[in-house]
Amino acid sequence: MIQRRSISWGSLIGGLGLIMLGLVLLIDRSDNFLPDFIQRYWAILLIASGVWNMITRLRFKEDAWAGMDYGTGLYVIRHRRQQRTRWWVAIVLLIAGAFCLWASLTPSANIAAGPIITIILGTLFVLRSFL
């Protein structure tokens, strides 16, 4: 019997969002249509996403609750399904966001890999959503 896994919609939507953000930033490198504020501080979105993943992971540590089962009237202890988010996702987002923020705020570094890193991260998250 083949077990089917469902798609992780959060990872899929987040990955597609990262790909779109990376593409917009990559296009902006040549056209400069985004405001200067966004060009400098866009990496805060990656950092915020990493913090959100950490908070979500910590919140789901409390996975047991007890109460009446309304179908049978018995007192039961149930476990919530553990969230699939792993710590490495949050850590990768935080590190990539910090690196991209540093690179965008330090013009002397002359590093323009932020959009490419964002597109790669988005692609990995999209692929992860199907696994």
Side-chain angles (χ1 to χ4, degrees), residues 33-95:
F33 61 89
L34 290 175
D36 189 43
F37 179 78
I38 294 175
Q39 289 176 0
R40 287 183 175 260
Y41 298 109
W42 66 270
I44 291 175
L45 292 173
L46 293 178
I47 295 170
S49 179
V51 169
W52 177 261
N53 277 328
M54 287 184 124
I55 290 170
T56 304
R57 184 68 181 162
L58 289 173
R59 189 178 66 189
F60 277 100
K61 282 291 187 185
E62 303 168 2
D63 63 341
W65 61 273
M68 293 295 289
D69 183 18
Y70 294 110
T72 62
L74 300 173
Y75 189 76
V76 295
I77 297 175
R78 296 189 183 203
H79 295 278
R80 274 193 251 166
R81 195 179 100 207
Q82 283 290 329
Q83 191 178 16
R84 289 179 24 181
T85 303
R86 303 283 181 236
W87 285 104
W88 68 268
V89 173
I91 292 170
V92 165
L93 284 170
L94 287 171
I95 291 172

